[in-house]
Amino acid sequence: MYRSHSCGELRSSDINTEVTLAGWVQKIRDKGFMIWVDLRDRYGITQLIFDEERTPKDVTEKAKKLGREFVIQVKGNVIERESKNDAIPTGAIEILVKELTVLNEALVPPFTIEDTTDGGEDIRMKYRYLDIRRNPVKNNLLFRHQVGMKVRNYLSQEGFIEVETPYLIKSTPEGARDFVVPSRMNEGQFYALPQSPQTFKQLLMVGGMDKYFQIVKCFRDEDLRADRQPEFTQIDCEMAFVEQEDILSIFEGLTKHLLKEIKGVNITEFPRMTYDEAMKTYGNDKPDIRFGMKFGELNAIAQHKDFKVFNEADLVVAIAVPGGASYTRKEIDKLIDWVKRPQIGAQGMVYVKYNEDGSFKSSVDKFYDQEDLKKWAEKTGAVPGDLICVLSGEANKVRSQLSALRMELAERLQLRNPEEFAPLWVVDFPLLEWDEETERYHAMHHPFTSPKPDDIPLLDTNPGKVRANAYDLVLNGNEIGGGSIRIHDKETQALMFDHLGFTPEEAKAQFGFLMDAFQYGAPPHGGIAFGFDRLVSILGGQETIRDFIAFPKNNSGRDVMIDAPANVDSEQLKELNIKLDL
Amino acid sequence: MYRSHSCGELRSSDINTEVTLAGWVQKIRDKGFMIWVDLRDRYGITQLIFDEERTPKDVTEKAKKLGREFVIQVKGNVIERESKNDAIPTGAIEILVKELTVLNEALVPPFTIEDTTDGGEDIRMKYRYLDIRRNPVKNNLLFRHQVGMKVRNYLSQEGFIEVETPYLIKSTPEGARDFVVPSRMNEGQFYALPQSPQTFKQLLMVGGMDKYFQIVKCFRDEDLRADRQPEFTQIDCEMAFVEQEDILSIFEGLTKHLLKEIKGVNITEFPRMTYDEAMKTYGNDKPDIRFGMKFGELNAIAQHKDFKVFNEADLVVAIAVPGGASYTRKEIDKLIDWVKRPQIGAQGMVYVKYNEDGSFKSSVDKFYDQEDLKKWAEKTGAVPGDLICVLSGEANKVRSQLSALRMELAERLQLRNPEEFAPLWVVDFPLLEWDEETERYHAMHHPFTSPKPDDIPLLDTNPGKVRANAYDLVLNGNEIGGGSIRIHDKETQALMFDHLGFTPEEAKAQFGFLMDAFQYGAPPHGGIAFGFDRLVSILGGQETIRDFIAFPKNNSGRDVMIDAPANVDSEQLKELNIKLDL
C-alpha cells in the first residue's frame, strides 16, 4: 500500500494524523529554509511542507532535488496551514514531511501540466498520457464515465438488456466505406468492422430480446472532417412491439434523466417538429432552439414589386437579428461579405434596419416602402432595434445559407449558452434523398427504415416525397441521436432494396439473412442510436469531441502517440493471403 | 403501443381487466369448440383462450389459421383459469380473446423453439435469431447483462473509471497473431485490432487515472480450439500506487460480491497458492479445489526398490480416488487405457486398492509389501475403500497426465458441482517460459510483467527460475482472471525486452511510446483482466462459453448466420492499396 490517503481527501479534522501520500509533484516553492511542494493525484492537490527546523535534514536535501512531475511518496503529519487556500478542498491543511521516497523521476514535460497549457494540439496528442494529467482532459474522461454509468443504469432499470454484438462482420457496399479485416483462416475473404450494429439489433428483436441497448464502438472509413473520428461510440437501442411514439417517449425520459442527474436541469418542454417545419423555420434539420431568429418567408410580400433579384428567386427568406439596427455600415458590409464567402455561397444580402423610432431603413428602399418593410418585420418577428437580413435564391440553398448566418450571429451575440439545454425531436424525415453524383436515390437514414404506410404509393410516382417513420433527437443545434421504425416484413424490405437500386440477387447476397429472419416471425420494431462522444461533449458544455476521447486520432486517422497505422512485415501479409498494391 | 402488459406479468389480481398482449405463438391446442394458444415473449408465457361461445366467430376462424412462431396481438379479458398451471407465474389466469391481429406470419421454424430443442449446433447457429428465442440461450444473455451491470457498478463505486481505449491500434509481433486492418488514408499501412488494451491502460496509469476498468472486446487471430472465439470480452482493470496485495484484495472483493449477489453464495475462504505449489499438488496452474485428490509424491518411498519403471522415473506421483477400491478389473483396465490415450500420453498406470479391511492389493505387489503401500496411502491421503493411481515419468509430463486423470475422475464421480464455487489465487508465476520451437524464452504473462526484485539477478544465470509479480484468479478449475504488477521504469523494461530477444531498435520501434512514457513520471502500477465470457459461463454453471455469446463464430472463425467473412470487390481492395495473393 503506497498511501493511506489520496491527495484530495485530508481536511482540518485530520490534523495530527500520520499519513502517507503518493502522487506527482505539481509545483515546488523553495524558500531556502522552507520548501513547499504541491502533490497531485486524480483526486486533488495536497500541500507538503519541508521545514528546516522540523524536517530531517536529509529529507529536505532530497526535496531540493525534486522536479516537476516526479512521482513521490511521503510520510508526515497533517498540520494546520498558516495561510489557508479556500480554492481547494484540502486548503486548510498541509503535510509536514518526515520521509520522502522518489518512486520515479521525470524528464521535464514537453508542455505544462496546468489547466491552461502551453502545449499545442500536436504535442498534446503525441504525449496524450501527460495531457490526461491535466484537469480539463481528466475531468472530461471522468465525466464521460459518469454519463455512461447513468445511461446504463437508466436503460437497465427500464428493462433494456445490453447485448454485445460482433465486431467482425460482413462488408456491405451500401452506406459509408467499411474498414475490412483480412481473414487468415478463410483465404481471400474479409470481415468488416461494423458501422453500427444495425442488422444485429434487428435480429435480436426477431429473437425476442424485446429491449436491447449497447454502448458500442462503431467504425467508418471516411475522409475525416474536423471532429470526426474513424472509430466512435454509440448508445445503440432497439425495441420490439413499438410505434414511433413509444420510442420518443422512452428516450425523452432518458434525455430528461441525464439532464436532471448530470446538469441539475429540469426539462419541461420537449418540442417536436417535422423535418419540413424545421427546414422552413430554421433552414436546418437540427435547429438550435435556444434562441429565436426564426425564418420569415417573404415571397408573398416581397415579390411582384420591381426588385428583379427577388422576383426571380425561388425563395425570399429573412431573419431578424436582435439589436442589429445599431450595426454600422461597415459591420453590415462585413456580414454581407461573410455570407458571400464560398463556404456559404450567398449572392448577396438585403438588409432592413428597424429603427428604435419605428421607421425602416433598407438597402432596397428604391423598391419597397415603409408599409412593405413593416410586413417583412411582422413575418420575421422583428421589433424596433433589430436588423432584418434577407437572402434569396434556390430554396434549399438559400435556407442553408440563412441557417449558417443565423448560427453565426447567435454565436456572436452569445445566444448559445452552453449551460442551457433545449432538446427537440425532428420527425417525419424523408425516406430517400437524391444523390447528384450517382444520380439515384439513397436511403436518408438507412435501407431498413420504414416508409409511412400512406406514402408507399409515392415510391413509384414521387420517391423524394415519401416520408419515413424516422426521427432525430436534437440538442442545442446538434444531432445527438437518430432512429426509425424499421421495416419488419420481407416484401417491404425487398421493395425498398429495389428502389435503392439493388438487384434481387445483390439484396439477397448482402442482406439475405435479415430478409430470411423476417419470414420467421419478426415483430414490429424500431430504435435509435445516440452519438455518445457528441452527447457527452454537449452535456459537458463543449462542442468538440476530441477531448472527451482518451486516445483520439488526428485528421489523417493516425494515432500519433503510438504511431499507428504502421507497416507490417511481409510474412504477416503472406499469412493473410494479401500483398501491397501501391 | 402494441400491448398493455407483457406475457409474464398477469396474475389473479388482474382478473376482469381488459388487456392487450403481443408476442409469439408458442403452442396451439385446437379442441374444435375451444382453442388454447400459449403466447410467448421475453417475459413469459400467457395462455389465450378462443371459445366457441364467448369469442367472435371470425376471431376463432383466424385463430385456427395460426402457426407456431406467428407474431400476434390480442385483446381480451383476463379470466380465471380452470386448471391452474403452477409451473408458470401466469398460470392462474388466461385471456379470453376478443380481437386477434396477425402482426407477422412465420414459416415453420427449422428446429423447435423449446428448452430442449431438436436443432443441432450448426442449424442453431445459422438461425441464431430463432435460437435466442429459446429460454436457455435467452436467459444466458439476460444473465450476462446482469453480471456486466454488477461488475460495472461495483468497480465504479470502488472509484474505478471506465475509459474506452482505441480499437484501431498498432500490430506487434510479440504474443498471439493480430488481426490487421488496412488503412486507406495511410497507404500501405495497417492498424491492428487490440489483443488487449494492455499498453493503453498502462498509459492511463502514467496519465494519473489511478483506477481504470473497461469491459471491452479483444481480438486474437489464432487457430481456434473448441470454446475459443476470435473476438472475446475482457473485464480489464489497472490501478496505480499498488502492490500485489492491493490488487488481490480489491478483486477478491469483486469476486465475493458477484458470488453473493448473483449466486447467493458467501465465500469465506479465498486461498492463495504459489504456482510451484499448485503444480506439485494438482499438476496444474488452475486447480479445481472443490474436491481433494491431491497429489502425493512417492519418489522417496517408491524408488530404490526393484521396480525399474519407478527407479528410472524423474517423478513418481499418485492420487487417491474416493471409493475406487470397488472398481472391477475391467474398470481399472479402462482407466489405464484412458491415461494411455495419445491426448494424455501416460506410459501406463500402477494402481493400489486400499481395501475396506485395511489391506492393500496392487499391480506391483511383486515389488512392494503392505508396509510400503501403507506409506503410499499416507502420502496420498487414501483411506480404506480408495484406489491409489500412480503415474511416473518426466516430472512436467507426468504431473500434467495425473492432473488430467484427476479431473476426469472428478467429473465421473460428480465432484464438480456447478453450484459450488471455490475461488483461488495462484501467485508467483514464472516470469519466462522456454519455448521448444523457437528455442528461446517467452514472457509467460506478457513483456510488461515485473520480475520479483530479488530474482532479477537470476535473469542472467537461470532465467526459467525468475518469479514474477503475477497472479491468476482461478474459479472451479478455470482461469477466470490473470494479471501482474507491471514494470514502471525504462531500464527494467529495456532489460526485459533484451531477455526476450528484442534488439534495442525493435523494442523502440514497437514499444518506444511506452518506454518514453515511463520517463515522464510513471507510478508503480498493476492490474488484472478477467475473461468475461468465461466468468459469465462459470457463474451460470456451465463450462462452454458459446451460449453466453449472442452471435458466436464457429471453429473456422465464421459467422454462419450472416456468412462472414466474405469476398469484397476488387474496387474496395484497390482503394486500400492491397490485392489478393492466393
Side-chain angles (χ1 to χ4, degrees):
Chain A
M1 194 66 93
Y2 280 89
R3 61 192 171 194
S4 61
H5 296 78
S6 80
C7 294
E9 69 178 304
L10 294 169
R11 302 286 183 273
S12 293
S13 55
D14 298 300
I15 285 169
N16 291 326
T17 316
E18 279 257 327
V19 299
T20 307
L21 298 187
W24 286 263
V25 172
Q26 174 76 29
K27 208 161 66 181
I28 308 166
R29 273 167 305 150
D30 186 346
K31 298 275 179 194
F33 60 100
M34 226 175 242
I35 303 169
W36 288 274
V37 170
D38 279 356
L39 188 67
R40 187 197 70 232
D41 67 10
R42 188 183 108 193
Y43 312 94
I45 282 182
T46 299
Q47 181 165 294
L48 313 177
I49 178 166
F50 300 80
D51 168 335
E52 206 170 48
E53 290 179 10
R54 294 176 291 175
T55 304
K57 193 156 186 276
D58 61 318
V59 175
T60 309
E61 283 309 308
K62 233 194 269 177
K64 283 185 188 293
K65 292 184 196 129
L66 293 177
R68 277 199 289 141
E69 301 303 319
F70 273 42
V71 184
I72 63 172
Q73 182 189 40
V74 294
K75 286 186 197 196
N77 274 307
V78 183
I79 60 172
E80 190 171 2
R81 198 151 146 180
E82 265 184 41
S83 55
K84 306 224 176 354
N85 178 355
D86 290 342
I88 57 172
T90 63
I93 58 94
E94 59 192 355
I95 312 297
L96 179 62
V97 177
K98 292 194 302 186
E99 286 178 39
L100 166 64
T101 309
V102 174
L103 298 173
N104 218 339
E105 298 191 353
L107 299 179
V108 175
F111 51 86
T112 54
I113 312 295
E114 305 278 356
D115 290 6
T116 307
T117 183
D118 57 357
E121 178 86 0
D122 290 351
I123 193 112
R124 284 177 49 214
M125 289 302 148
K126 181 163 166 58
Y127 297 92
R128 185 63 162 180
Y129 46 86
L130 299 180
D131 201 26
I132 289 172
R133 289 186 194 163
R134 297 172 52 242
N135 283 322
V137 181
K138 178 195 78 178
N139 289 337
N140 284 353
L141 296 179
L142 299 185
F143 183 73
R144 183 182 178 111
H145 167 67
Q146 294 303 339
V147 177
M149 290 301 295
K150 298 251 185 258
V151 169
R152 280 197 163 92
N153 281 310
Y154 183 87
L155 291 176
S156 188
Q157 274 155 30
E158 291 285 326
F160 286 80
I161 299 298
E162 185 159 21
V163 180
E164 295 172 55
T165 52
Y167 277 78
L168 297 172
I169 66 166
K170 191 160 75 167
S171 187
T172 54
E174 181 70 3
R177 217 181 268 108
D178 286 320
F179 283 104
V180 300
V181 182
S183 166
R184 182 179 53 87
M185 286 204 279
N186 299 273
E187 280 182 33
Q189 297 193 320
F190 293 77
Y191 301 100
L193 300 178
Q195 296 184 29
S196 92
Q198 183 62 34
T199 50
F200 289 95
K201 69 176 175 175
Q202 292 192 242
L203 292 173
L204 286 171
M205 294 304 104
V206 177
M209 287 305 291
D210 208 66
K211 291 178 178 179
Y212 145 91
F213 83 102
Q214 192 182 187
I215 301 188
V216 62
K217 273 281 175 80
C218 302
F219 304 86
R220 274 180 210 176
D221 184 12
E222 288 182 281
D223 295 326
L224 299 174
R225 290 185 256 147
D227 222 32
R228 272 234 190 141
Q229 290 281 318
E231 50 177 306
F232 55 95
T233 306
Q234 234 172 244
I235 309 171
D236 194 48
C237 306
E238 197 81 2
M239 302 170 77
F241 298 113
V242 290
E243 288 156 339
Q244 175 168 308
E245 186 52 39
D246 304 312
I247 307 246
L248 301 195
S249 143
I250 284 274
F251 292 97
E252 257 179 50
L254 173 64
T255 310
K256 284 179 178 173
H257 175 78
L258 293 178
L259 285 169
K260 172 91 185 121
E261 290 272 309
I262 290 168
K263 307 302 292 187
V265 172
N266 270 309
I267 295 295
T268 48
E269 280 197 56
F270 214 119
R272 295 175 191 186
M273 195 181 287
T274 64
Y275 172 86
D276 284 346
E277 193 185 345
M279 294 307 287
K280 278 199 166 199
T281 317
Y282 298 99
N284 197 313
D285 62 2
K286 42 178 196 285
D288 189 338
I289 58 168
R290 283 176 296 183
F291 57 94
M293 293 200 264
K294 291 187 189 178
F295 287 14
E297 298 194 354
L298 309 184
N299 288 32
I301 49 180
Q303 290 182 328
H304 315 297
K305 299 272 167 173
D306 289 340
F307 188 46
K308 211 175 147 195
V309 173
F310 281 5
N311 290 349
E312 287 173 355
D314 181 21
L315 178 68
V316 182
V317 60
I319 53 173
V321 185
S326 63
Y327 290 5
T328 63
R329 177 64 209 240
K330 204 170 155 190
E331 283 172 321
I332 293 175
D333 281 346
K334 271 194 170 171
L335 219 50
I336 294 173
D337 287 345
W338 190 90
V339 297
K340 287 167 81 174
R341 296 182 319 152
Q343 301 95 307
I344 309 297
Q347 296 294 316
M349 184 181 94
V350 165
Y351 67 88
V352 184
K353 284 187 175 186
Y354 192 170
N355 297 314
E356 294 286 358
D357 66 3
S359 69
F360 296 93
K361 174 82 194 89
S362 83
S363 58
V364 286
D365 280 352
K366 197 158 42 155
F367 304 104
Y368 301 96
D369 61 22
Q370 295 282 310
E371 270 315 295
D372 292 326
L373 299 177
K374 189 162 177 62
K375 285 184 194 152
W376 297 16
E378 279 160 15
K379 274 281 178 202
T380 55
V383 294
D386 287 358
L387 177 75
I388 303 171
C389 298
V390 193
L391 300 183
S392 63
E394 190 274 314
N396 286 339
K397 280 187 189 153
V398 78
R399 282 193 179 117
S400 146
Q401 292 156 3
L402 192 62
S403 170
L405 178 64
R406 176 177 175 269
M407 293 300 276
E408 172 68 17
L409 286 167
E411 200 67 53
R412 293 187 194 177
L413 295 167
Q414 295 182 296
L415 300 176
R416 308 193 67 205
N417 173 6
E419 292 306 312
E420 188 189 337
F421 294 92
L424 165 76
W425 287 111
V426 177
V427 299
D428 294 355
F429 270 78
L431 182 71
L432 304 168
E433 62 183 344
W434 182 253
D435 185 58
E436 296 288 350
E437 203 177 315
T438 55
E439 296 200 315
R440 64 179 184 90
Y441 281 104
H442 280 268
M444 192 157 187
H445 194 56
H446 54 52
F448 315 109
T449 297
S450 65
K452 287 197 180 280
D454 292 348
D455 289 1
I456 290 181
L458 289 173
L459 271 175
D460 290 317
T461 56
N462 193 351
K465 280 286 173 210
V466 178
R467 290 165 308 157
N469 282 316
Y471 32 82
D472 274 0
L473 181 54
V474 174
L475 184 60
N476 295 0
N478 293 277
E479 179 207 324
I480 59 163
S484 64
I485 299 298
R486 325 299 184 188
I487 296 166
H488 66 280
D489 65 287
K490 188 174 179 171
E491 292 66 37
T492 310
Q493 191 64 68
L495 182 72
M496 186 69 185
F497 283 131
D498 181 39
H499 279 279
L500 292 171
F502 286 66
T503 65
E505 294 69 33
E506 286 167 349
K508 188 173 162 52
Q510 288 168 37
F511 298 108
F513 62 95
L514 186 68
M515 293 201 286
D516 283 351
F518 286 171
Q519 295 186 292
Y520 287 101
H525 61 286
I528 191 166
F530 293 87
F532 188 57
D533 308 295
R534 174 83 48 214
L535 174 67
V536 171
S537 68
I538 292 168
L539 291 176
Q542 296 177 28
E543 288 209 342
T544 54
I545 61 173
R546 203 169 281 189
D547 276 345
F548 289 86
I549 297 172
F551 300 102
K553 293 191 171 55
N554 74 8
N555 281 349
S556 317
R558 294 199 72 81
D559 181 327
V560 295
M561 180 185 70
I562 64 169
D563 196 23
N567 298 321
V568 301
D569 67 36
S570 52
E571 277 306 303
Q572 208 170 342
L573 297 185
K574 200 162 192 133
E575 273 198 314
L576 297 170
N577 305 295
I578 57 172
K579 58 183 170 190
L580 294 183
D581 180 25
L582 296 172
Chain B
M1 193 67 95
Y2 279 89
R3 60 193 173 195
S4 61
H5 296 78
S6 81
C7 294
E9 69 178 302
L10 294 169
R11 301 287 182 275
S12 293
S13 56
D14 297 300
I15 284 169
N16 290 327
T17 316
E18 280 256 327
V19 298
T20 307
L21 298 185
W24 286 263
V25 171
Q26 174 76 31
K27 210 162 64 182
I28 308 164
R29 273 167 304 149
D30 187 345
K31 298 273 178 195
F33 61 99
M34 227 174 240
I35 304 169
W36 288 273
V37 170
D38 279 356
L39 189 67
R40 188 197 69 233
D41 66 12
R42 187 182 108 193
Y43 312 95
I45 282 183
T46 298
Q47 181 165 295
L48 312 177
I49 179 166
F50 300 79
D51 167 334
E52 207 171 47
E53 290 180 11
R54 295 176 291 172
T55 304
K57 192 155 188 275
D58 59 319
V59 174
T60 310
E61 284 309 307
K62 237 196 268 178
K64 282 185 189 293
K65 291 182 198 133
L66 292 177
R68 278 201 288 141
E69 301 304 317
F70 273 42
V71 185
I72 63 171
Q73 183 189 39
V74 294
K75 285 184 196 193
N77 274 307
V78 183
I79 61 172
E80 190 171 1
R81 197 150 145 180
E82 265 185 40
S83 54
K84 307 229 176 349
N85 178 355
D86 289 342
I88 57 171
T90 62
I93 58 95
E94 59 192 354
I95 312 298
L96 179 63
V97 177
K98 293 193 301 188
E99 287 177 38
L100 165 65
T101 310
V102 175
L103 298 173
N104 219 338
E105 299 192 351
L107 299 179
V108 175
F111 51 86
T112 53
I113 312 296
E114 304 277 354
D115 289 6
T116 307
T117 182
D118 57 357
E121 179 87 1
D122 290 351
I123 193 114
R124 284 177 49 214
M125 289 302 148
K126 182 164 163 60
Y127 297 91
R128 185 63 162 178
Y129 46 86
L130 298 180
D131 201 26
I132 289 173
R133 289 186 194 162
R134 297 172 52 241
N135 283 323
V137 182
K138 178 195 78 179
N139 290 337
N140 284 353
L141 295 179
L142 300 185
F143 183 74
R144 183 182 179 112
H145 167 67
Q146 295 303 339
V147 178
M149 289 301 296
K150 298 250 186 258
V151 169
R152 280 198 164 94
N153 280 309
Y154 183 87
L155 290 175
S156 187
Q157 274 153 31
E158 291 285 327
F160 286 80
I161 299 298
E162 185 159 21
V163 180
E164 295 171 56
T165 52
Y167 278 77
L168 296 172
I169 66 166
K170 190 161 76 168
S171 187
T172 55
E174 181 70 3
R177 217 181 272 106
D178 286 320
F179 283 105
V180 299
V181 182
S183 166
R184 181 179 53 87
M185 285 204 278
N186 300 272
E187 280 181 33
Q189 298 193 319
F190 293 77
Y191 301 100
L193 299 179
Q195 296 184 31
S196 91
Q198 183 61 34
T199 50
F200 288 95
K201 69 177 174 175
Q202 292 191 242
L203 292 173
L204 287 171
M205 294 304 104
V206 177
M209 288 306 290
D210 208 68
K211 293 178 176 178
Y212 144 92
F213 84 102
Q214 191 182 189
I215 301 187
V216 62
K217 273 282 175 79
C218 301
F219 304 86
R220 274 180 210 174
D221 184 13
E222 289 182 281
D223 295 326
L224 299 174
R225 290 185 255 146
D227 222 33
R228 271 234 192 143
Q229 290 282 319
E231 52 177 305
F232 55 97
T233 306
Q234 233 172 247
I235 308 171
D236 194 48
C237 307
E238 197 80 4
M239 301 171 76
F241 298 113
V242 290
E243 287 156 339
Q244 176 169 307
E245 186 53 40
D246 303 313
I247 306 247
L248 301 195
S249 145
I250 284 274
F251 292 97
E252 258 181 49
L254 172 64
T255 310
K256 284 179 177 173
H257 175 78
L258 293 179
L259 285 168
K260 173 88 185 123
E261 288 273 308
I262 290 167
K263 308 301 294 186
V265 172
N266 270 310
I267 296 295
T268 49
E269 281 197 57
F270 213 119
R272 294 174 191 188
M273 194 180 287
T274 65
Y275 172 86
D276 283 346
E277 193 185 346
M279 293 308 287
K280 278 201 164 196
T281 317
Y282 298 100
N284 197 314
D285 62 2
K286 44 178 197 282
D288 189 339
I289 57 167
R290 282 175 298 183
F291 57 95
M293 292 201 266
K294 291 186 187 179
F295 287 15
E297 298 195 354
L298 307 185
N299 288 31
I301 48 181
Q303 290 184 328
H304 315 297
K305 299 273 167 175
D306 288 341
F307 189 45
K308 210 174 147 196
V309 173
F310 281 5
N311 291 348
E312 288 173 355
D314 181 22
L315 178 68
V316 183
V317 61
I319 53 173
V321 185
S326 63
Y327 290 6
T328 63
R329 177 65 208 240
K330 204 171 155 191
E331 284 172 320
I332 293 175
D333 281 347
K334 272 195 167 171
L335 220 48
I336 295 173
D337 287 345
W338 191 89
V339 297
K340 288 166 80 174
R341 295 183 319 151
Q343 301 95 307
I344 310 295
Q347 295 295 317
M349 184 181 95
V350 166
Y351 67 88
V352 185
K353 285 186 173 186
Y354 193 170
N355 298 315
E356 294 288 357
D357 65 5
S359 68
F360 296 93
K361 176 81 195 90
S362 84
S363 56
V364 285
D365 281 351
K366 196 154 45 151
F367 305 104
Y368 301 96
D369 61 21
Q370 295 284 309
E371 271 314 294
D372 293 326
L373 299 177
K374 188 157 177 62
K375 285 182 196 153
W376 297 16
E378 280 160 16
K379 274 281 179 201
T380 55
V383 295
D386 288 358
L387 177 77
I388 303 171
C389 299
V390 192
L391 300 183
S392 63
E394 191 274 313
N396 285 340
K397 280 186 188 152
V398 79
R399 282 194 179 116
S400 146
Q401 292 156 4
L402 192 62
S403 170
L405 178 63
R406 176 178 175 270
M407 292 300 276
E408 172 69 16
L409 286 167
E411 200 69 53
R412 293 188 194 176
L413 294 167
Q414 296 182 296
L415 301 176
R416 309 193 66 205
N417 173 5
E419 293 305 313
E420 189 188 336
F421 294 92
L424 165 77
W425 286 111
V426 177
V427 299
D428 293 356
F429 270 78
L431 182 71
L432 303 168
E433 63 183 343
W434 183 253
D435 185 58
E436 295 288 351
E437 202 177 313
T438 56
E439 296 201 314
R440 65 180 183 88
Y441 282 103
H442 280 267
M444 191 155 186
H445 194 56
H446 54 52
F448 315 108
T449 297
S450 66
K452 286 197 181 278
D454 292 348
D455 290 1
I456 289 182
L458 289 173
L459 271 175
D460 290 318
T461 55
N462 193 352
K465 280 287 173 209
V466 178
R467 290 165 308 158
N469 282 317
Y471 32 81
D472 274 0
L473 181 54
V474 175
L475 184 60
N476 295 0
N478 293 278
E479 179 208 325
I480 57 162
S484 63
I485 299 298
R486 325 299 183 187
I487 297 166
H488 67 280
D489 64 286
K490 188 174 179 170
E491 292 66 36
T492 312
Q493 190 63 68
L495 182 73
M496 186 68 186
F497 283 132
D498 182 38
H499 279 278
L500 292 172
F502 285 66
T503 65
E505 293 70 33
E506 285 166 348
K508 188 174 162 48
Q510 287 167 38
F511 298 109
F513 61 96
L514 186 67
M515 294 201 286
D516 284 351
F518 285 171
Q519 296 187 291
Y520 286 101
H525 62 285
I528 192 166
F530 294 86
F532 188 56
D533 308 295
R534 173 83 48 216
L535 174 66
V536 171
S537 69
I538 291 167
L539 290 177
Q542 296 177 29
E543 289 209 343
T544 54
I545 61 174
R546 203 168 281 190
D547 276 344
F548 289 85
I549 297 172
F551 300 102
K553 294 194 172 51
N554 74 9
N555 281 349
S556 316
R558 295 199 70 82
D559 181 328
V560 295
M561 179 184 72
I562 64 169
D563 196 23
N567 298 320
V568 301
D569 67 38
S570 52
E571 277 306 303
Q572 208 170 341
L573 297 185
K574 199 162 192 133
E575 271 198 316
L576 297 170
N577 304 295
I578 57 173
K579 57 184 171 191
L580 295 183
D581 180 25
L582 296 172

